[in-house]
Amino acid sequence: MGESSSATEIFRLLSDETRVDILCAIAVAQSELEQAGSGPAELAFSDIYDHVDVENTSKLSYHLGELTGTYLRKSDEGYSLSHAGERIVRFILSGNYEQPESFGPEPVDGMCVFCGEEALETRLSHQFFRIDCAACDQQVAGQPITPAQVRDRTAEALIRSVKLQGAEDYRQVRRGLCPECGAQLSAEVLGLPESPLPDADSFLVTSQCDACLRTYNSPLTYSVAYHPASIAFYWDHGIDVTTKGIWEFHEYVYDGRWASEQVASDPDEYEALMQHGEDTLRLRLDSSATVTATERVRRESREF
Ligand SMILES: [Zn+2]
Ligand SMILES: [Zn+2]
Protein backbone atom coordinates (compact mmCIF):
# COMPACT_ATOMS: atom_id res chain seq x y z
CA MET A 1 0.00 0.00 0.00
CA GLY A 2 1.87 3.12 1.07
CA GLU A 3 -0.44 5.76 -0.36
CA SER A 4 -3.25 6.77 1.95
CA SER A 5 -6.40 4.70 1.87
CA SER A 6 -9.95 5.78 2.46
CA ALA A 7 -11.65 4.82 5.73
CA THR A 8 -14.05 2.47 3.93
CA GLU A 9 -11.16 0.63 2.23
CA ILE A 10 -9.46 0.21 5.58
CA PHE A 11 -12.56 -1.26 7.21
CA ARG A 12 -13.33 -3.43 4.18
CA LEU A 13 -9.97 -5.15 4.77
CA LEU A 14 -11.39 -6.40 8.08
CA SER A 15 -14.69 -7.77 6.75
CA ASP A 16 -13.13 -11.21 6.61
CA GLU A 17 -13.07 -13.53 9.58
CA THR A 18 -9.68 -15.04 8.72
CA ARG A 19 -8.02 -11.63 8.68
CA VAL A 20 -9.47 -10.68 12.06
CA ASP A 21 -8.29 -14.09 13.33
CA ILE A 22 -4.81 -13.42 11.94
CA LEU A 23 -4.55 -10.06 13.71
CA CYS A 24 -5.73 -11.52 17.03
CA ALA A 25 -3.44 -14.56 16.62
CA ILE A 26 -0.48 -12.23 16.13
CA ALA A 27 -1.27 -10.49 19.41
CA VAL A 28 -1.60 -13.85 21.18
CA ALA A 29 1.64 -15.17 19.67
CA GLN A 30 3.45 -11.92 20.54
CA SER A 31 2.36 -12.12 24.17
CA GLU A 32 3.61 -15.74 24.30
CA LEU A 33 6.94 -14.97 22.65
CA GLU A 34 7.73 -11.63 24.23
CA GLN A 35 10.62 -11.64 26.63
CA ALA A 36 10.50 -9.26 29.56
CA GLY A 37 12.33 -6.08 28.60
CA SER A 38 12.25 -6.66 24.85
CA GLY A 39 9.94 -4.91 22.43
CA PRO A 40 7.00 -6.57 20.68
CA ALA A 41 8.17 -9.73 18.96
CA GLU A 42 8.21 -9.82 15.17
CA LEU A 43 6.63 -13.02 13.98
CA ALA A 44 7.91 -15.21 11.21
CA PHE A 45 5.44 -16.48 8.63
CA SER A 46 5.63 -19.97 10.18
CA ASP A 47 4.85 -18.64 13.70
CA ILE A 48 1.67 -17.04 12.37
CA TYR A 49 0.74 -20.12 10.38
CA ASP A 50 0.94 -22.21 13.58
CA HIS A 51 -1.51 -19.90 15.33
CA VAL A 52 -4.20 -19.41 12.66
CA ASP A 53 -6.79 -21.78 11.31
CA VAL A 54 -6.19 -21.21 7.58
CA GLU A 55 -6.36 -23.82 4.79
CA ASN A 56 -2.87 -23.44 3.35
CA THR A 57 0.18 -21.21 3.23
CA SER A 58 -0.83 -19.44 0.03
CA LYS A 59 -4.13 -18.33 1.64
CA LEU A 60 -2.20 -17.00 4.63
CA SER A 61 0.28 -15.31 2.35
CA TYR A 62 -2.56 -13.59 0.47
CA HIS A 63 -4.25 -12.31 3.65
CA LEU A 64 -0.96 -11.11 5.16
CA GLY A 65 -0.32 -9.21 1.96
CA GLU A 66 -3.69 -7.49 2.22
CA LEU A 67 -3.19 -6.56 5.89
CA THR A 68 0.40 -5.35 5.52
CA GLY A 69 0.69 -1.59 5.25
CA THR A 70 -2.49 -0.81 7.17
CA TYR A 71 -2.68 -3.29 10.07
CA LEU A 72 0.70 -4.99 9.90
CA ARG A 73 4.29 -3.96 9.45
CA LYS A 74 6.73 -6.26 7.73
CA SER A 75 10.47 -6.28 8.19
CA ASP A 76 13.22 -8.83 7.46
CA GLU A 77 12.51 -10.37 10.89
CA GLY A 78 8.81 -10.81 10.30
CA TYR A 79 5.42 -9.25 10.96
CA SER A 80 4.21 -7.01 13.77
CA LEU A 81 1.11 -4.89 14.38
CA SER A 82 0.98 -1.31 13.07
CA HIS A 83 -0.65 1.45 15.11
CA ALA A 84 -4.03 0.74 13.47
CA GLY A 85 -3.48 -2.99 14.01
CA GLU A 86 -2.72 -2.41 17.69
CA ARG A 87 -5.84 -0.26 18.19
CA ILE A 88 -8.15 -2.72 16.42
CA VAL A 89 -6.72 -5.85 18.07
CA ARG A 90 -6.75 -4.42 21.60
CA PHE A 91 -10.29 -3.16 20.98
CA ILE A 92 -11.43 -6.63 19.87
CA LEU A 93 -9.56 -8.61 22.55
CA SER A 94 -10.80 -6.34 25.37
CA GLY A 95 -14.40 -6.73 24.21
CA ASN A 96 -14.85 -2.97 24.22
CA TYR A 97 -17.42 -3.20 21.43
CA GLU A 98 -19.81 -4.91 23.86
CA GLN A 99 -22.37 -3.18 26.04
CA PRO A 100 -20.98 -2.56 29.51
CA GLU A 101 -22.74 -4.20 32.41
CA SER A 102 -25.16 -1.94 34.21
CA PHE A 103 -23.92 -0.24 37.32
CA GLY A 104 -25.45 1.83 40.11
CA PRO A 105 -26.95 3.91 41.43
CA GLU A 106 -24.29 3.76 44.12
CA PRO A 107 -23.71 6.46 46.74
CA VAL A 108 -20.36 8.20 46.32
CA ASP A 109 -18.48 10.60 48.60
CA GLY A 110 -18.38 14.27 47.71
CA MET A 111 -20.36 17.48 47.70
CA CYS A 112 -22.71 18.81 45.03
CA VAL A 113 -21.16 21.87 43.39
CA PHE A 114 -24.61 23.40 42.87
CA CYS A 115 -26.44 22.91 46.18
CA GLY A 116 -23.70 21.86 48.62
CA GLU A 117 -25.47 18.67 49.68
CA GLU A 118 -23.54 15.45 50.15
CA ALA A 119 -26.00 13.31 48.27
CA LEU A 120 -24.07 12.17 45.22
CA GLU A 121 -24.93 9.00 43.36
CA THR A 122 -23.05 7.35 40.54
CA ARG A 123 -24.38 5.17 37.75
CA LEU A 124 -23.72 4.21 34.15
CA SER A 125 -25.85 5.95 31.59
CA HIS A 126 -25.37 5.30 27.87
CA GLN A 127 -21.80 4.07 28.49
CA PHE A 128 -21.07 7.21 30.46
CA PHE A 129 -20.02 7.17 34.08
CA ARG A 130 -22.06 9.95 35.61
CA ILE A 131 -22.60 11.39 39.04
CA ASP A 132 -25.86 13.09 39.91
CA CYS A 133 -26.96 14.93 43.01
CA ALA A 134 -29.99 13.22 44.55
CA ALA A 135 -30.85 16.44 46.40
CA CYS A 136 -31.11 18.86 43.44
CA ASP A 137 -31.23 16.35 40.54
CA GLN A 138 -28.33 17.97 38.67
CA GLN A 139 -25.51 16.09 37.01
CA VAL A 140 -22.24 17.00 38.72
CA ALA A 141 -19.75 14.85 36.78
CA GLY A 142 -19.57 12.66 33.70
CA GLN A 143 -16.83 10.71 32.00
CA PRO A 144 -16.71 8.19 29.14
CA ILE A 145 -15.96 4.70 30.32
CA THR A 146 -15.03 1.45 28.57
CA PRO A 147 -16.84 -1.88 28.97
CA ALA A 148 -13.53 -3.48 30.04
CA GLN A 149 -13.24 -0.88 32.78
CA VAL A 150 -16.62 -1.91 34.22
CA ARG A 151 -16.15 -5.66 33.81
CA ASP A 152 -15.01 -7.59 36.90
CA ARG A 153 -14.62 -4.48 39.03
CA THR A 154 -16.42 -3.88 42.29
CA ALA A 155 -18.21 -0.53 42.62
CA GLU A 156 -15.37 0.73 44.78
CA ALA A 157 -12.70 -0.36 42.30
CA LEU A 158 -14.62 1.13 39.39
CA ILE A 159 -14.93 4.51 41.10
CA ARG A 160 -11.20 4.40 41.90
CA SER A 161 -10.40 3.67 38.25
CA VAL A 162 -12.56 6.58 37.09
CA LYS A 163 -10.75 8.94 39.46
CA LEU A 164 -7.39 7.77 38.20
CA GLN A 165 -8.37 8.03 34.57
CA GLY A 166 -9.86 11.50 35.05
CA ALA A 167 -6.68 12.69 36.75
CA GLU A 168 -4.48 11.23 33.98
CA ASP A 169 -6.65 12.78 31.26
CA TYR A 170 -6.55 16.19 32.96
CA ARG A 171 -2.77 16.04 33.18
CA GLN A 172 -2.42 15.20 29.51
CA VAL A 173 -4.92 17.84 28.42
CA ARG A 174 -3.12 20.46 30.49
CA ARG A 175 0.08 19.57 28.60
CA GLY A 176 -1.69 19.92 25.26
CA LEU A 177 -1.82 16.20 24.48
CA CYS A 178 -5.13 14.75 23.27
CA PRO A 179 -5.76 11.64 25.43
CA GLU A 180 -7.85 10.17 22.63
CA CYS A 181 -5.51 10.42 19.64
CA GLY A 182 -2.25 12.03 20.78
CA ALA A 183 -2.53 15.13 18.58
CA GLN A 184 -1.78 18.65 19.79
CA LEU A 185 -4.64 20.45 21.57
CA SER A 186 -5.31 24.16 21.34
CA ALA A 187 -6.72 25.70 24.50
CA GLU A 188 -8.40 28.97 25.37
CA VAL A 189 -10.02 30.50 28.40
CA LEU A 190 -13.64 31.59 28.13
CA GLY A 191 -15.49 33.83 30.54
CA LEU A 192 -18.84 32.36 31.52
CA PRO A 193 -21.01 35.10 32.98
CA GLU A 194 -23.97 32.69 33.00
CA SER A 195 -21.95 29.85 34.50
CA PRO A 196 -24.03 27.45 36.58
CA LEU A 197 -20.97 27.04 38.81
CA PRO A 198 -20.51 29.20 41.90
CA ASP A 199 -19.22 32.73 41.17
CA ALA A 200 -15.85 31.78 42.62
CA ASP A 201 -14.86 30.13 39.34
CA SER A 202 -16.65 31.49 36.30
CA PHE A 203 -13.95 30.76 33.70
CA LEU A 204 -13.88 27.72 31.50
CA VAL A 205 -10.83 26.22 29.82
CA THR A 206 -11.77 24.63 26.54
CA SER A 207 -9.21 22.44 24.77
CA GLN A 208 -9.95 21.41 21.21
CA CYS A 209 -8.35 18.64 19.17
CA ASP A 210 -8.33 19.62 15.50
CA ALA A 211 -7.39 16.06 14.55
CA CYS A 212 -10.10 13.91 16.16
CA LEU A 213 -12.46 16.75 17.12
CA ARG A 214 -12.65 15.85 20.80
CA THR A 215 -13.22 18.84 23.07
CA TYR A 216 -12.25 18.89 26.74
CA ASN A 217 -13.85 21.48 29.01
CA SER A 218 -13.10 22.24 32.62
CA PRO A 219 -13.49 25.11 35.07
CA LEU A 220 -10.24 27.08 35.21
CA THR A 221 -9.31 26.00 38.74
CA TYR A 222 -9.87 22.31 37.89
CA SER A 223 -7.61 22.66 34.85
CA VAL A 224 -4.66 23.38 37.16
CA ALA A 225 -5.65 20.95 39.93
CA TYR A 226 -3.02 18.45 38.79
CA HIS A 227 -0.29 21.01 38.02
CA PRO A 228 2.95 20.05 39.86
CA ALA A 229 2.64 23.19 42.02
CA SER A 230 -0.90 22.19 43.07
CA ILE A 231 0.09 18.59 43.68
CA ALA A 232 3.04 19.74 45.84
CA PHE A 233 0.92 22.34 47.67
CA TYR A 234 -1.67 19.76 48.71
CA TRP A 235 0.95 17.09 49.33
CA ASP A 236 2.55 19.43 51.87
CA HIS A 237 -0.85 19.61 53.57
CA GLY A 238 -1.25 15.84 53.68
CA ILE A 239 -3.56 15.56 50.66
CA ASP A 240 -2.75 13.56 47.54
CA VAL A 241 -4.80 15.26 44.81
CA THR A 242 -3.60 12.79 42.20
CA THR A 243 -5.92 10.18 43.73
CA LYS A 244 -8.91 12.51 43.80
CA GLY A 245 -11.74 12.47 41.32
CA ILE A 246 -12.76 15.68 39.59
CA TRP A 247 -16.04 15.75 41.52
CA GLU A 248 -14.12 15.74 44.80
CA PHE A 249 -12.96 19.28 43.98
CA HIS A 250 -16.54 20.56 43.93
CA GLU A 251 -16.53 21.36 47.62
CA TYR A 252 -13.48 23.60 47.16
CA VAL A 253 -15.29 25.70 44.58
CA TYR A 254 -18.61 25.57 46.39
CA ASP A 255 -17.20 27.10 49.56
CA GLY A 256 -14.83 29.47 47.76
CA ARG A 257 -11.51 27.87 48.72
CA TRP A 258 -10.84 27.69 45.00
CA ALA A 259 -11.42 30.78 42.90
CA SER A 260 -10.34 32.33 39.63
CA GLU A 261 -10.18 35.82 38.24
CA GLN A 262 -8.96 37.69 35.19
CA VAL A 263 -5.99 39.84 36.15
CA ALA A 264 -4.92 41.39 32.83
CA SER A 265 -6.29 42.10 29.36
CA ASP A 266 -4.58 42.24 25.94
CA PRO A 267 -3.00 39.83 26.41
CA ASP A 268 -5.44 38.22 28.79
CA GLU A 269 -4.10 36.71 31.97
CA TYR A 270 -5.85 34.82 34.72
CA GLU A 271 -5.16 33.73 38.24
CA ALA A 272 -6.33 30.57 39.96
CA LEU A 273 -6.31 30.64 43.76
CA MET A 274 -6.27 27.58 45.95
CA GLN A 275 -6.61 28.09 49.66
CA HIS A 276 -5.85 25.59 52.36
CA GLY A 277 -5.94 26.77 55.95
CA GLU A 278 -3.79 29.88 56.07
CA ASP A 279 -1.91 29.08 52.91
CA THR A 280 -2.85 30.09 49.39
CA LEU A 281 -1.39 28.92 46.13
CA ARG A 282 -1.68 31.31 43.19
CA LEU A 283 -1.23 30.11 39.66
CA ARG A 284 -0.91 32.65 36.86
CA LEU A 285 -2.24 31.52 33.46
CA ASP A 286 -2.00 33.05 30.01
CA SER A 287 -4.82 33.15 27.47
CA SER A 288 -4.04 29.58 26.35
CA ALA A 289 -4.44 28.35 29.94
CA THR A 290 -0.71 27.69 30.28
CA VAL A 291 0.60 28.24 33.79
CA THR A 292 3.29 30.93 33.57
CA ALA A 293 4.03 31.50 37.26
CA THR A 294 3.13 30.10 40.66
CA GLU A 295 3.44 31.55 44.12
CA ARG A 296 2.59 30.43 47.64
CA VAL A 297 1.28 33.01 50.08
CA ARG A 298 0.96 32.42 53.81
CA ARG A 299 -1.46 34.01 56.25
CA GLU A 300 -3.02 36.27 53.71
CA SER A 301 -6.57 37.26 54.49
CA ARG A 302 -8.40 37.30 51.22
CA GLU A 303 -11.93 38.18 50.32
CA PHE A 304 -13.10 35.71 47.74
ZN1 LIG B 1 -27.17 19.27 44.40
ZN1 LIG C 1 -7.58 14.02 19.38
Coordinates of all heavy atoms in Angstrom, one line a residue, residues 4 28 49 119 190 227:
S4 N -2.2 6.8 0.9 CA -3.2 6.8 2.0 C -4.5 6.1 1.4 O -4.9 6.3 0.2 CB -3.5 8.2 2.5 OG -4.1 9.0 1.4
V28 N -1.8 -12.7 20.3 CA -1.6 -13.8 21.2 C -0.2 -14.4 21.1 O 0.5 -14.6 22.1 CB -2.6 -15.0 20.9 CG1 -2.3 -16.2 21.7 CG2 -4.1 -14.5 21.1
Y49 N 1.4 -19.0 11.0 CA 0.7 -20.1 10.4 C 0.3 -21.1 11.5 O -0.7 -21.7 11.4 CB 1.6 -20.8 9.3 CG 0.9 -21.8 8.5 CD1 -0.2 -21.5 7.7 CD2 1.3 -23.2 8.5 CE1 -0.9 -22.5 6.9 CE2 0.6 -24.2 7.8 CZ -0.4 -23.8 7.0 OH -1.1 -24.7 6.3
A119 N -25.0 14.3 48.7 CA -26.0 13.3 48.3 C -25.7 12.8 46.9 O -26.6 12.7 46.0 CB -27.4 13.9 48.4
L190 N -12.4 30.9 28.4 CA -13.6 31.6 28.1 C -14.3 32.1 29.4 O -14.3 31.4 30.4 CB -14.6 30.7 27.4 CG -14.2 30.0 26.1 CD1 -15.2 29.0 25.7 CD2 -13.9 31.0 25.0
H227 N -1.6 20.4 38.3 CA -0.3 21.0 38.0 C 0.7 20.6 39.1 O 0.3 20.5 40.3 CB -0.5 22.5 38.0 CG 0.8 23.3 37.5 ND1 1.8 23.6 38.4 CD2 1.1 23.7 36.3 CE1 2.7 24.2 37.8 NE2 2.4 24.3 36.5

